[in-house]
Amino acid sequence: DTGVSQDPRHKITKRGQNVTFRCDPISEHNRLYWYRQTLGQGPEFLTYFQNEAQLEKSRLLSDRFSAERPKGSFSTLEIQRTEQGDSAMYLCASSPWRDRGPSEQFFGPGTRLTVL
Amino acid sequence: KQEVTQIPAALSVPEGENLVLNCSFTDSAIYNLQWFRQDPGKGLTSLLLIQSSQREQTSGRLNASLDKSSGRSTLYIAASQPGDSATYLCAVPTSGTYKYIFGTGTRLKVLA
């Protein structure tokens, strides 16, 4: 078990470009979360998957943001037409199935996005 | 709407002190509460998860308590060490969803 991995670790892009991030969860975990974190703040929930189904989305996830988990394993988060306000750390977490309610989350190292 | 507050925002202590970090939440209908540690520029490391039916959880020098009725949790760190310096975050899931709400964290510095 290698934990949750994210790629890339750092991304610098120009305003208006599209970017895509990847998250590989712990292999037996069927739940996957994306968060965004800005300096001095706690992570903000973006979206949640159970297997391949996207079950919750935050209002923070504007039309420019899309997330997928096509085979219930890895997930991608795409940001289209990036803006300087998108600069943040994007965190992925996974958790195992539990018969009732949310379970313990395990986080990846994050992808630091800088939009120039 | 669930809101999570952590006090103090920052704390600086000499090595060896026992210390308490506080987390309060507004909606007591929670499944669990999780404490994390975050080093600068890194992801979050899970420290302790307390289920709603539990009052305490312990791991090494860490002890977390939960009082659902008052909407509070505390993280107790015994015999603090410089390596404990980090930001400590608590998180609770919003009632009826899988959406976790985080506090803004307590930034801890342990001086050698």
Side-chain angles (χ1 to χ4, degrees), chain B residues 33-86:
Chain B
L33 182 144
Q34 196 166 357
W35 281 94
F36 296 89
R37 167 189 173 134
Q38 187 174 33
D39 294 292
K42 307 292 185 184
L44 280 67
T45 300
S46 178
L47 296 174
L48 289 164
L49 173 76
I50 312 179
Q51 301 294 350
S52 60
S53 57
Q54 296 176 313
R55 299 277 297 183
E56 275 190 16
Q57 272 284 17
T58 298
S59 175
R61 294 182 295 107
L62 305 179
N63 175 277
S65 67
L66 176 64
D67 184 344
K68 273 183 57 177
S69 60
S70 65
R72 292 179 185 175
S73 175
T74 60
L75 180 67
Y76 175 83
I77 304 176
S80 58
Q81 303 170 357
D84 295 330
S85 298

Side-chain angles (χ1 to χ4, degrees), chain A residues 31 33 35 37 40-43 45 48 56 89 91 98 100-105 107-109 112, chain B residues 31-32 34 36 38 41-49 51 89 93 97-100 102-104:
Chain A
R31 296 173 176 172
Y33 299 77
Y35 292 88
Q37 185 179 29
Q41 301 298 311
F45 171 86
Y48 158 68
E56 290 191 63
M89 176 79 91
L91 294 161
R98 182 172 174 239
R100 183 173 176 269
S103 50
E104 186 174 6
Q105 294 185 88
F107 279 78
R112 166 81 58 195
Chain B
Y31 283 118
N32 57 50
Q34 196 166 357
F36 296 89
Q38 187 174 33
K42 307 292 185 184
L44 280 67
T45 300
S46 178
L47 296 174
L48 289 164
L49 173 76
Q51 301 294 350
L89 296 148
T97 80
Y98 291 80
K99 174 182 173 180
Y100 274 81
F102 281 79
T104 53

Side-chain angles (χ1 to χ4, degrees), chain B residues 94-110:
Chain B
T94 307
S95 177
T97 80
Y98 291 80
K99 174 182 173 180
Y100 274 81
I101 305 297
F102 281 79
T104 53
T106 294
R107 194 170 62 255
L108 173 66
K109 188 169 185 179
V110 181

Side-chain angles (χ1 to χ4, degrees), chain A residues 6 21 32-37 43-49 54-62 65-67 76-79 86 88-92 105 107, chain B residues 98-102:
Chain A
Q6 292 186 245
F21 308 143
L32 188 146
Y33 299 77
W34 284 100
Y35 292 88
R36 181 171 70 185
Q37 185 179 29
E44 293 177 291
F45 171 86
L46 292 178
T47 191
Y48 158 68
F49 289 86
Q54 187 175 22
L55 297 184
E56 290 191 63
K57 287 173 61 174
S58 165
R59 293 179 185 176
L60 293 174
L61 217 65
S62 74
F65 287 71
S66 63
T76 57
L77 177 68
E78 181 183 16
I79 308 174
D86 297 331
M89 176 79 91
Y90 290 84
L91 294 161
C92 176
Q105 294 185 88
F107 279 78
Chain B
Y98 291 80
K99 174 182 173 180
Y100 274 81
I101 305 297
F102 281 79

